Amino acid sequence: MSKTPIVCLCAQYDLRQYFGSGFDAYSDFELVTPDQPEAPDQVRFAVAFKPGPDAFDPFPNLELICSVGAGVDGLLRHPKLPKQAHLVRMINPEQAQMMAGFAAWHVIGHHRRMDDYSAFQKKRTWGDAVRPTFPSDYPVAVIGFGKMGLAVARSLREMGYPVTSWASRSRTEDGFDVKSGKAGLEEVLSNAHAVVGVLPLTQSTEGFFNAQTFALMRSGSLLVQIGRGGHLIEDDLLAALDAGQPGCAALDVFQTEPLPPESPLWDHTAVFVTPHIASDSTGAALARAVAGSIRAHVSGQVLEGAVDRNRGY
């Protein structure tokens, strides 16, 4: 039986290396580079991450494109994204758990003022114990309430933090009262000691974290930005941090990645920089998701992680 080819479309590197040996368990599929298929017009499936400007041209009959990541803004903005193809984003509960753990680590560190103890250690002094507050006295706002946002909110709630949330659509989900609109955003941000950003990147959310947004936040609060780099106006954040509102920021995503060496974010004492590592996946998990999506598509089942092009996620 011949294997079904899945073409890898990425301008940066060979996606087969990203999947590693993950597809070894699937004898009916084969990852191929764009130059390998003898009949490109017969290729129906693709995996993609930041495809080049002409990446889709040789494959006019793609039916399903699987994003290697949870974000799909780069694909949706591609001028030649095939109109007939279904698009699915990566859905992996373990990725969501990693994202939730990353956010919780920063929230707990800020709440318990762990930086103070690091300073005590550097001075070789026992230091005065920082008077604790209970998690119940430390509200957290989760901005964006998709799969990742829900995982973050659940994790923090389990540890006793009051969690408020905001999204493009107001609703009640899993016991969370999700606010929306300008008034809802002001209500959520003004009460929060920590704000976790996990929005999708769309036209309406680009530049979301800007001077106006920061003006709604509490003085001394924490921003944890783990959504997309396009959400943040970095110059506005720097000015807001210098004014103490918010008081500090943990940034994992940036407008330009890798973050340029000349960026002032590197040296700002109130900024914690990580290189887009809040959440990732294994080759085996990626292969499982792609194979599952293809099989669901072929059998006419509902596609988990299907992207609504009109909504942008």
Side-chain angles (χ1 to χ4, degrees), residues 234 253-267 273 275:
E234 294 173 2
V253 289
F254 303 89
Q255 290 277 1
T256 300
E257 296 181 1
L259 184 64
E262 64 273 15
S263 171
L265 292 170
W266 287 112
D267 298 319
V273 171

Side-chain angles (χ1 to χ4, degrees), residues 233-302:
I233 305 299
E234 294 173 2
D235 287 344
D236 285 6
L237 175 63
L238 289 165
L241 289 171
D242 289 342
Q245 190 174 342
C248 55
L251 307 178
D252 187 60
V253 289
F254 303 89
Q255 290 277 1
T256 300
E257 296 181 1
L259 184 64
E262 64 273 15
S263 171
L265 292 170
W266 287 112
D267 298 319
H268 200 290
T269 56
V271 175
F272 188 97
V273 171
T274 49
H276 206 145
I277 48 80
S279 179
D280 205 346
S281 191
T282 64
L286 289 168
R288 184 166 57 249
V290 171
S293 294
I294 293 175
R295 287 173 176 160
H297 169 76
V298 170
S299 60
Q301 300 175 24
V302 174

